[in-house]
Amino acid sequence: IINRQRRRSVHGDLTMITNPGIPEFEKLKRFLPKLKHHSRNQLTTKNMSGYNSDGDAENTNTSSLADLIDQLSEKRATTREKALQDMIKTLRMDYHYDDVEKIKFTLVEDLKKELKKGNHTEQELACQLASVTAITQGDEAEQLYKDISSSLKDLISNSGSQVVKASALTTLAMLIFISESDEQATINSLDIFSSAFSSQESSTEQILAGLKGWSLLSSTISAHYTFATQIPAHLLTLANLLRSDQPDVRIAAGEVIAFLYECAVVEAAMDEESEEIGPNPDEFAEYAGMEFDDLMDLMKSLTKDKTKGRAKKDKEKQRTPFKDIVSYIETGSVPEEVLSFRHQKVSFSSWAQLAQLNAFRDALGQGLQAHFESNQFLQEVFDTKIAKDVKKVTMTAVEKRMYMGDNTERAKNRTRTLGKSRNTRSKEVDYVNQDDD
């Protein structure tokens, strides 16, 4: 059985430590309260397709998984591609554990065949299907990981398509995150992803997949290890990526820097022998090859980018993420993501948690909501429980008139209070006007 506790953000409550500069830091070293945070984004039920505004599942026109898997044996490539697309759509939009369980052996064999012998489109789609299958299987995805990991690594090294390489990186990161219980094995795999974002030959897609995969897996590793080994190894590369021509690369690099700084905050809080209040900013920035103020100025410049030649849309795209990153490093204010269900909200407020949430969002797309409600594995990863049977308390039209209408005693008292307030303000204004005269 996979160690579920390790797979969650290993920072746990430690990611909720206030940043240096706040007077109560010494107390926080003992009690580790939650970081203050502000809302950046709310994902509502209405925004998640697969469910209508009343919370009821919408009907889809996709064929059954059993029928679709038969089509993966067809000779025509377009038929196989269409079957892969429909299977991905089906597994994304709802939780189909029982259906996957019935076809899992055939599905694994077909995935292995597509990854090894399929065309580039089939290989990309097979990677996506493997990710969503693993999320559906949860703790039982270990065999899938063992069966296709070598094929994914081969694609990362030898595929002629940059898009396929990126897809294989993303899928491998998800499978390791879900199925690997040995922390040392996860640490050993980090080089695959850091090589992708460090190499001069990597495409934009590879760099992004490397950054996201590396941060996803690093979120399960102890903050001490990350602080001691990963910051010195990668901060310079990440700082250079802030100057990339691609806005998505700049944003991803900035978010990884914020995650690394979070590890530094955790390490400082856990160091009982240190007399320092929080991490040493200059020591942190030294690994980026610049002064701390210069690193902050670089990220602040991306919140109001005036570089000629960059599209206005790209400048606007990076503005909010870098405002959040700068705000966190300066004040400890973590951007909060909120998933809103029918009668419940779940918040995510550490950079480690956000890295995990974004990985599942990329894999599931608009089906994230449906999986969160039904997939126990996903709830265990984020240590939450979605109560699907909670009923919203509503009032009838008669009750609304009785308790909320204009003729209720409460409404009448409010009207009288407002009237007195207006009279008082009117007299004050008249008094001021008389003085002016």
Side-chain angles (χ1 to χ4, degrees):
I1 298 176
I2 302 301
N3 186 339
R4 296 173 182 168
Q5 184 63 38
R6 191 197 67 79
R7 187 169 46 222
R8 298 179 195 141
S9 166
V10 294
H11 300 182
D13 290 338
L14 300 183
T15 57
M16 308 303 178
I17 302 172
T18 310
N19 239 11
I22 297 176
E24 296 297 319
F25 185 79
E26 290 300 323
K27 294 181 181 179
L28 298 177
K29 291 177 71 173
R30 295 179 57 196
F31 299 108
L32 307 178
K34 290 186 177 181
L35 276 169
K36 57 181 180 177
H37 52 259
H38 61 276
S39 178
R40 177 176 71 175
N41 185 28
Q42 287 196 349
L43 303 178
T44 63
T45 304
K46 183 178 180 180
N47 291 333
M48 294 295 183
S49 56
Y51 282 81
N52 58 32
S53 58
D54 295 326
D56 298 323
E58 294 179 350
N59 293 325
T60 60
N61 296 321
T62 54
S63 305
S64 70
L65 291 174
D67 293 337
L68 291 171
I69 203 167
D70 289 340
Q71 297 177 29
L72 295 181
S73 301
E74 295 290 332
K75 291 184 178 181
R76 190 184 296 272
T78 53
T79 302
R80 297 195 301 271
E81 291 171 12
K82 181 63 166 56
L84 287 168
Q85 291 171 346
D86 286 346
M87 291 184 75
I88 293 168
K89 179 180 178 181
T90 300
L91 291 179
R92 276 178 174 171
M93 298 313 297
D94 209 348
Y95 180 55
H96 291 281
Y97 172 82
D98 291 336
D99 295 329
V100 170
E101 186 67 15
K102 294 174 183 177
I103 62 171
K104 63 180 181 180
F105 297 110
T106 305
L107 178 58
V108 169
E109 292 304 313
D110 284 335
L111 284 172
K112 290 165 63 176
K113 181 178 66 176
E114 294 288 355
L115 291 171
K116 290 180 178 179
K117 299 181 179 180
N119 59 39
H120 289 163
T121 301
E122 289 177 86
Q123 289 173 335
E124 180 187 358
L125 291 170
C127 287
Q128 295 176 18
L129 179 57
S131 290
V132 73
T133 299
I135 294 171
T136 300
Q137 289 185 303
D139 290 332
E140 298 176 19
E142 186 174 5
Q143 190 59 47
L144 173 64
Y145 168 54
K146 291 179 179 179
D147 286 340
I148 70 171
S149 59
S150 60
S151 297
L152 293 172
K153 292 175 182 177
D154 183 63
L155 289 176
I156 292 168
S157 300
N158 303 314
S159 176
S161 167
Q162 303 296 336
V163 174
V164 170
K165 286 185 175 182
S167 296
L169 279 165
T170 300
T171 300
L172 182 62
M174 181 59 73
L175 288 176
I176 294 173
F177 176 82
I178 292 173
S179 302
E180 186 56 77
S181 59
D182 182 7
E183 182 178 77
Q184 187 57 50
T186 300
I187 290 173
N188 294 340
S189 70
L190 290 178
D191 286 345
I192 298 173
F193 303 93
S194 60
S195 296
F197 67 73
S198 301
S199 173
Q200 297 291 330
E201 299 178 358
S202 293
S203 64
T204 298
E205 293 85 358
Q206 285 176 272
I207 293 172
L208 280 172
L211 288 168
K212 293 181 177 182
W214 184 91
S215 59
L216 173 65
L217 297 181
S218 294
S219 70
T220 69
I221 297 171
S222 71
H224 173 74
Y225 176 85
T226 302
F227 173 79
T229 65
Q230 301 302 293
I231 291 177
H234 302 305
L235 192 56
L236 178 59
T237 300
L238 294 168
N240 290 331
L241 289 176
L242 294 176
R243 300 183 177 92
S244 170
D245 292 334
Q246 301 299 318
D248 288 335
V249 172
R250 296 195 293 270
I251 293 169
E255 289 176 343
V256 174
I257 290 174
F259 166 73
L260 291 177
Y261 197 79
E262 184 176 73
C263 293
V265 172
V266 174
E267 177 66 12
M270 296 301 293
D271 186 0
E272 297 179 354
E273 297 180 359
S274 175
E275 296 181 359
E276 295 285 340
I277 299 179
N280 186 319
D282 292 326
E283 187 178 299
F284 177 84
E286 182 181 343
Y287 294 115
M290 62 181 74
E291 298 291 330
F292 182 76
D293 289 342
D294 294 334
L295 177 61
M296 293 301 296
D297 287 343
L298 175 57
M299 290 193 286
K300 286 178 181 178
S301 70
L302 296 174
T303 67
K304 45 187 177 182
D305 195 349
K306 297 181 181 179
T307 305
K308 293 183 179 180
R310 285 184 181 171
K312 182 179 179 181
K313 181 176 68 174
D314 291 344
K315 295 177 182 178
E316 292 176 349
K317 183 178 184 180
Q318 71 186 21
R319 185 173 296 127
T320 298
F322 276 100
K323 282 184 178 179
D324 291 337
I325 293 166
V326 169
S327 176
Y328 166 67
I329 294 177
E330 289 185 337
T331 70
S333 177
V334 180
E336 182 186 49
E337 295 265 359
V338 178
L339 287 181
S340 296
F341 300 91
R342 278 171 284 183
H343 313 303
Q344 188 175 349
K345 292 184 179 181
V346 180
S347 61
F348 309 84
S349 53
S350 77
W351 290 101
Q353 279 191 328
L354 292 177
Q356 296 178 4
L357 177 64
N358 288 333
F360 284 106
R361 181 188 286 120
D362 290 342
L364 296 172
Q366 294 179 330
L368 179 66
Q369 188 96 12
H371 275 265
F372 243 104
E373 289 189 331
S374 303
N375 190 336
Q376 185 179 358
F377 161 74
L378 205 56
Q379 295 178 24
E380 289 175 348
V381 167
F382 293 101
D383 195 21
T384 188
K385 181 68 176 177
I386 307 300
K388 296 181 65 176
D389 56 347
V390 176
K391 295 183 178 180
K392 186 176 181 180
V393 178
T394 59
M395 289 190 291
T396 65
V398 174
E399 289 173 332
K400 287 181 180 179
R401 286 196 297 271
M402 288 176 61
Y403 299 112
M404 300 174 64
D406 293 337
N407 291 325
T408 63
E409 191 62 30
R410 177 187 174 191
K412 292 177 181 178
N413 289 334
R414 182 174 180 273
T415 301
R416 285 193 290 268
T417 301
L418 289 174
K420 291 178 181 178
S421 178
R422 293 190 194 100
N423 291 336
T424 301
R425 286 198 298 271
S426 178
K427 291 178 181 178
E428 290 173 349
V429 171
D430 290 342
Y431 179 76
V432 172
N433 290 338
Q434 289 175 6
D435 286 348
D436 291 339
D437 292 339

